[in-house]
Amino acid sequence: MSGNFFADLHAVFEENASRPCFIFSRGGGWTFADLEERIGQACGVLLRSGVKPGSRVVAQVAKSAEAIALYLACLRIGAVYVPLNTAYTSAEVQYFLDDADAALFVCDPDGTDVVAAGTLTLDAEGEGSFTQTMAHTEPFTGIVARSKNDVAAIVYTSGTTGRSKGAMLTHENLRTNAVSLSAVWGWQERDVLLHALPIFHVHGLFIALHCALLGGTTTIFMPKFDMEEMLLWLPRSTVLMGVPTFYTRLLANPEFSKDTAKAIRVFISGSAPLTEQTFAEFEARTGQKILERYGMSETIINTSNPLDGERLAGTVGFALPGVETRVADDAGNALAADEVGMIEVRGQNVFAGYWQMPEKTAEELRDDGWFITGDLGTQGSDGRLSIVGRSKDLIISGGYNVYPKEVEQVIDEISGVQESAVFGVPHADFGEAVVVAVVARPDAAVVDIAVIDAALDGKLARFKQPKIVLNLTELPRNAMGKVQKNVLRDTHADLFAGQAS
Ligand code: AMP
């Protein structure tokens, strides 16, 4: 059996040739035979451009079905696909092209002014563009043999400090995770995936899409999250995979009702924490419990709440088949149940290391296979995992550990608070001081420190209570909906500057 994950997908595409693969939310669509044809043509272009097995193909392209064909073509010819966030600037793109030593760079015609050795634009119109060339190129219909441990993709982590690291994912990582997720989420022949996520990240490109492709099922392909289109297509879909902001946005719209949601058999959330409040409000509105799962660029998906068992708000569920999770101390000793420590993951989903960064790899991947995730959490005696926050977001105030999530949960319950982010800033006396940024509900008054104090008193120890409250209109977030605490920390670093201890 070939180790090339594309071989598995190819068998499904052939079996389901005449079925709809993509329905474009703004009209038109592709069958699996159409997809297969485009992949063959894209392979032809890649080969003509000198791409070889193992070559890196870097793509910074808008979301399109052609971009999916490009990704799958890379798998097929054994090249390594390197997706880039469309928000990256030319200077950032240049770093990735150099770092990945790209054989080919595919970009939008107006997207970037980077000039790389081999550059093709992914555009239906332009002369010499990828799509134009595709139409005139002899398709390649073979499948290049790969071993299961060969690298299929390099996903650059959205690192906020230092150089961004390229996580090398193998064909086996992609295959086993797709197979496990299809089983754990009970993928069915009649499933219709509503796809509104970006495709430069593991969530949209691998997690969501692989389930649909491997199942030979239909994907409603939406260029991006658009409320009107969501309301139109939800009743015609059965699975939604989203980031928590999808769910808060839906809830903010009074037109989103139990009726709109009733065709969906499972709403799945990940990439950032889903608050207990959103979980509860969603259940109250639709009667459905959002299924939260936990993953990352280096390991795709680690854990998931169960499809049939109890979905618990504030937890990310149990390890997938073939995956182990533990909560450990710095030396890698497993802690007792419910103790807070570093979440570590081992198994068939764990990446092969960081591209050309052996020291970084050695720092985060233990010799016995455990990957140190950088997330703090607890694990119950039943194996259920909960995330407390990123270790770098941990606040140490007066020598005591403050886990931001614990404080945010209490503040989020205050009426008038829409959401909050707790973070630490330098303080002469305490080392770090606890600060909270609050976004008030549209019709609510500004939340002052007296309100926060009153809500927290008696519930949380004094050292955990914020010293300052900042009222913001929104929290800084990245494309995957993660609150950027580093931005909050940097912007407000001087809050206590000049205060004598
Ligand atoms: P990325 O590599 O961009 O996918 O980011 C991975 C990080 O997202 C993880 O290490 C977690 O910090 C965070 N994350 C993913 N899923 C969840 C979740 N369900 N709850 C809380 N944090 C999450």
Side-chain angles (χ1 to χ4, degrees):
M1 195 190 118
S2 170
N4 190 330
F5 176 46
F6 186 78
D8 301 52
L9 295 171
H10 184 252
V12 177
F13 299 169
E14 289 212 310
E15 230 172 85
N16 296 281
S18 60
R19 295 189 70 187
C21 172
F22 295 133
I23 294 177
F24 304 132
S25 58
R26 297 173 187 176
W30 286 2
T31 61
F32 280 92
D34 293 332
L35 175 64
E36 174 73 20
E37 192 187 332
R38 300 306 199 292
I39 297 168
Q41 291 172 334
C43 285
V45 180
L46 293 174
L47 293 171
R48 228 177 79 166
S49 308
V51 174
K52 308 232 161 13
S55 299
R56 273 78 54 208
V57 174
V58 175
Q60 188 191 36
V61 287
K63 184 173 175 180
S64 71
E66 284 80 7
I68 303 295
L70 170 68
Y71 154 57
L72 294 169
C74 287
L75 286 187
R76 183 171 204 153
I77 64 162
V80 177
Y81 188 65
V82 187
L84 293 186
N85 191 321
T86 43
Y88 285 147
T89 63
S90 302
E92 287 166 316
V93 170
Q94 191 63 59
Y95 162 77
F96 293 114
L97 288 173
D98 293 342
D99 189 65
D101 190 13
L104 184 69
F105 174 45
V106 186
C107 59
D108 293 321
D110 53 354
T112 171
D113 52 15
V114 171
V115 183
T119 302
L120 279 174
T121 53
L122 186 56
D123 171 28
E125 309 301 325
E127 195 54 38
S129 72
F130 199 94
T131 0
Q132 272 266 319
T133 320
M134 243 160 83
H136 307 295
T137 304
E138 189 65 24
F140 171 82
T141 53
I143 299 175
V144 171
R146 292 272 86 186
S147 92
K148 63 185 186 139
N149 294 326
D150 280 329
V151 177
I154 296 178
V155 182
Y156 279 94
T157 56
S158 47
T160 46
T161 49
R163 293 169 61 205
S164 181
K165 298 168 285 184
M168 297 187 286
L169 293 168
T170 65
H171 283 266
E172 188 68 351
N173 293 147
L174 300 185
R175 171 189 296 108
T176 54
N177 218 240
V179 170
S180 291
L181 292 178
S182 302
V184 167
W185 295 338
W187 211 265
Q188 302 164 7
E189 215 182 310
R190 60 168 202 95
D191 270 334
V192 177
L193 171 73
L194 185 48
H195 194 299
L197 291 160
I199 55 164
F200 52 73
H201 186 268
V202 291
H203 194 166
L205 187 60
F206 301 149
I207 298 159
L209 211 57
H210 286 171
C211 284
L213 293 179
L214 205 57
T217 52
T218 303
T219 297
I220 309 288
F221 203 75
M222 220 176 252
K224 61 180 182 15
F225 183 98
D226 175 284
M227 185 57 76
E228 244 173 73
E229 288 185 32
M230 286 305 270
L231 296 176
L232 179 71
W233 287 103
L234 274 168
R236 300 186 228 175
S237 310
T238 65
V239 179
L240 176 69
M241 292 195 205
V243 292
T245 9
F246 280 21
Y247 296 105
T248 49
R249 284 194 213 163
L250 285 170
L251 285 170
N253 188 320
E255 275 182 56
F256 175 67
S257 65
K258 188 170 184 162
D259 220 37
T260 332
K262 75 168 189 269
I264 300 286
R265 73 171 179 84
V266 59
F267 286 99
I268 302 175
S269 175
S271 288
L274 181 78
T275 66
E276 294 187 28
Q277 195 186 8
T278 305
F279 180 93
E281 279 179 28
F282 199 87
E283 189 180 8
R285 178 87 64 93
T286 65
Q288 299 209 43
K289 289 188 160 112
I290 298 173
L291 184 157
E292 187 174 8
R293 90 308 178 276
Y294 164 50
M296 55 190 50
S297 304
E298 291 90 339
T299 59
I300 323 181
I301 294 277
N302 302 316
T303 69
S304 173
N305 267 280
L307 186 68
D308 297 322
E310 197 178 2
R311 297 178 202 165
L312 272 187
T315 81
V316 290
F318 304 95
L320 296 189
V323 177
E324 294 171 89
T325 54
R326 71 179 183 191
V327 170
D329 63 15
D330 289 347
N333 303 305
L335 299 177
D338 303 322
E339 263 190 69
V340 176
M342 178 63 74
I343 300 174
E344 299 192 2
V345 180
R346 181 163 74 175
Q348 55 195 14
N349 60 330
V350 174
F351 72 137
Y354 293 112
W355 168 254
Q356 289 185 331
M357 285 188 175
E359 306 81 30
K360 283 275 171 220
T361 304
E363 273 169 29
E364 295 179 29
L365 203 51
R366 297 185 189 279
D367 289 344
D368 56 1
W370 286 102
F371 172 59
I372 305 164
T373 61
D375 291 315
L376 295 171
T378 60
Q379 193 157 23
S381 47
D382 58 355
R384 190 186 277 274
L385 200 69
S386 302
I387 300 173
V388 176
R390 294 290 295 169
S391 66
K392 58 179 191 295
D393 294 335
L394 173 74
I395 306 165
I396 305 180
S397 189
Y400 293 110
N401 285 1
V402 180
Y403 300 104
K405 188 174 175 188
E406 186 190 10
V407 187
E408 288 160 5
Q409 275 172 335
V410 184
I411 294 177
D412 288 348
E413 278 171 20
I414 302 174
S415 76
V417 170
Q418 185 165 307
E419 57 177 354
S420 64
V422 168
F423 59 101
V425 296
H427 187 284
D429 210 10
F430 298 105
E432 279 186 297
V434 180
V435 173
V436 63
V438 169
V439 178
R441 288 187 179 274
D443 46 356
V446 162
V447 181
D448 63 20
I449 194 74
V451 175
I452 302 271
D453 282 350
L456 268 50
D457 254 359
K459 283 198 182 141
L460 291 179
R462 279 294 319 165
F463 71 88
K464 297 180 185 174
Q465 299 182 14
K467 301 213 174 333
I468 286 186
V469 54
L470 303 167
N471 277 275
L472 304 184
T473 47
E474 61 178 5
L475 298 177
R477 285 199 148 84
N478 72 5
M480 298 311 292
K482 288 191 225 300
V483 175
Q484 294 168 302
K485 296 223 168 149
N486 58 313
V487 172
L488 289 171
R489 279 193 292 265
D490 292 349
T491 314
H492 303 287
D494 294 336
L495 272 180
F496 294 94
Q499 283 192 13
S501 63

